[in-house]
Amino acid sequence: MITKTEIDTMLNSYDQNKITVGTLGSHSALNIFKGAKEEGFDTVCVCKKKSEIVYKRFPVADQIIIVDDFKELLNENMQTILKQQNTILVPHGSFNAYVGTKNIIDNLKIPLFGNRELLYWETDRETQRKWLKNAGLTLPKTFESPDDIDRLVIAKFPGAMGGKGYFIADSAKSFHKKAKDMLKRGHITQQNLENIHLQEYVVGVNVYPLYFYSPLTGEVELLGMDRRYESTVDSIGKIPANEQLQANINPTYTVVGNFPIVARESLLPDIIRMGENVVEESKKIAPPGLIGPFCLEMVITDDMKIYTFEISARIVAGSNVGIGTSPYAYLKYGEGMYMGRRIAREIKNAKEQDMLEKVVY
Ligand code: AMP
């Protein structure tokens, strides 16, 4: 594991008046780069050839470095280039998914915005549940084996597959039938099935609050809220029930995009306190705890019960719905604040207060 001392040594070798904000070209990179530019930073985008067009058409990356594989971020020469440019990397979902959490923690020597140890906590479902439970949140029940299924469950797989291949079952029998179908359709592999996570399916609506915790001010900010647009589950309602039954549709949850949400105001006290409790618990499990953006994935039932089924300890792609502004960011900051910019603002504030080491790990 790269130690905090190594990161701080690297940071001290930086020209802190010439910080570059870098990230991988995918996920929430446009959000991060635009925010960095608006706060006066130069930006560097490490991306694949096929995505270059994005970062050329939207002029937010000052420099584009093309790689064949995101793992090249770990190469010595790549790290030297980033270091020479005094780069702070902002991790997003593609870091865990394509570079690998262990690789990031053990081999990425470039300072990361946020607490790198929590990236590990969020990728392991068991540690994640422990964190959320200890923070006092209500979680859906989990089932050890398909034979234990006694209600509606959602079957999930490890890694950030973006909901791909997830399916619903209500008994061991329906589980095996659907798993077979998903295998046949190529949505999942045998290995996925061996690492399956069975979770009670909570009937309600999804709400994903987008938070930011500033270690400089000690405040948890609510900067936005979204829900996902998932193929094919979000298209089921367009098909009449009769035809649904005839077509024997087995929907999955592949994320295609996101919608912004505002919650009824009476839900906000709970939503804000839940964010605060998660931050307090994070300080115990991986000191100094959360830094910057995080997101709780919730289902809210018709009796206003809030279940939390996942946490992301970094910027989520759902925050892209707020590029420019969102109602909550507007309430707090007025015009023009959003997650990517809030990250850059924190880096800027930390630098001005000579406290950069408080926000990078
Ligand atoms: P995830 O990859 O865990 O974020 O889940 C993907 C999608 O599955 C979510 O956006 C929800 O639509 C749905 N989902 C996940 N877990 C649950 C649950 N316990 N109850 C109801 N829906 C869920």
Side-chain angles (χ1 to χ4, degrees), residues 98-295:
Y98 304 113
V99 184
T101 317
K102 200 169 156 23
N103 275 332
I104 296 168
I105 293 176
D106 291 344
N107 302 316
L108 189 57
K109 297 184 195 125
I110 305 296
L112 287 187
F113 181 78
N115 181 343
R116 68 174 72 202
E117 199 185 332
L118 284 172
L119 293 179
Y120 178 74
W121 276 76
E122 75 149 55
T123 38
D124 184 309
R125 282 197 200 278
E126 284 316 306
T127 52
Q128 197 185 108
R129 281 185 75 80
K130 201 167 124 194
W131 176 3
L132 297 176
K133 265 201 169 142
N134 290 346
L137 308 193
T138 307
L139 278 69
K141 189 176 154 58
T142 56
F143 296 85
E144 283 294 313
S145 139
D147 296 333
D148 301 334
I149 298 175
D150 64 356
R151 65 191 80 184
L152 215 52
V153 300
I154 178 163
K156 301 184 177 185
F157 306 97
M161 287 166 54
K164 189 174 185 308
Y166 288 12
F167 61 88
I168 289 183
D170 65 356
S171 63
K173 193 170 161 218
S174 72
F175 171 86
H176 291 299
K177 186 165 170 256
K178 292 193 173 184
K180 208 167 137 190
D181 178 54
M182 286 291 173
L183 274 172
K184 203 170 95 194
R185 283 159 64 193
H187 283 311
I188 57 172
T189 62
Q190 193 60 41
Q191 200 196 359
N192 290 148
L193 272 182
E194 280 153 26
N195 294 299
I196 203 153
H197 177 79
L198 298 170
Q199 199 173 74
E200 170 186 12
Y201 185 87
V202 181
V203 181
V205 292
N206 293 114
V207 174
Y208 297 179
L210 309 158
Y211 304 92
F212 185 96
Y213 175 66
S214 165
L216 302 179
T217 65
E219 189 178 312
V220 177
E221 301 169 13
L222 178 66
L223 288 186
M225 226 176 264
D226 79 293
R227 56 162 283 213
R228 294 178 182 165
Y229 196 29
E230 293 163 335
S231 189
T232 51
V233 73
D234 283 321
S235 62
I236 294 292
K238 294 181 192 160
I239 307 169
N242 257 340
E243 281 70 21
Q244 281 186 31
L245 290 173
Q246 278 165 24
N248 190 21
I249 296 166
N250 188 4
T252 183
Y253 293 78
T254 308
V255 180
V256 174
N258 302 76
F259 300 100
I261 291 186
V262 281
R264 55 193 283 185
E265 215 159 293
S266 57
L267 281 165
L268 293 183
D270 279 347
I271 290 177
I272 293 169
R273 283 195 197 103
M274 288 166 75
E276 290 184 342
N277 292 345
V278 163
V279 169
E280 279 318 303
E281 183 58 26
S282 73
K283 292 179 182 171
K284 295 181 200 150
I285 59 173
L290 276 163
I291 296 165
F294 68 102
C295 173

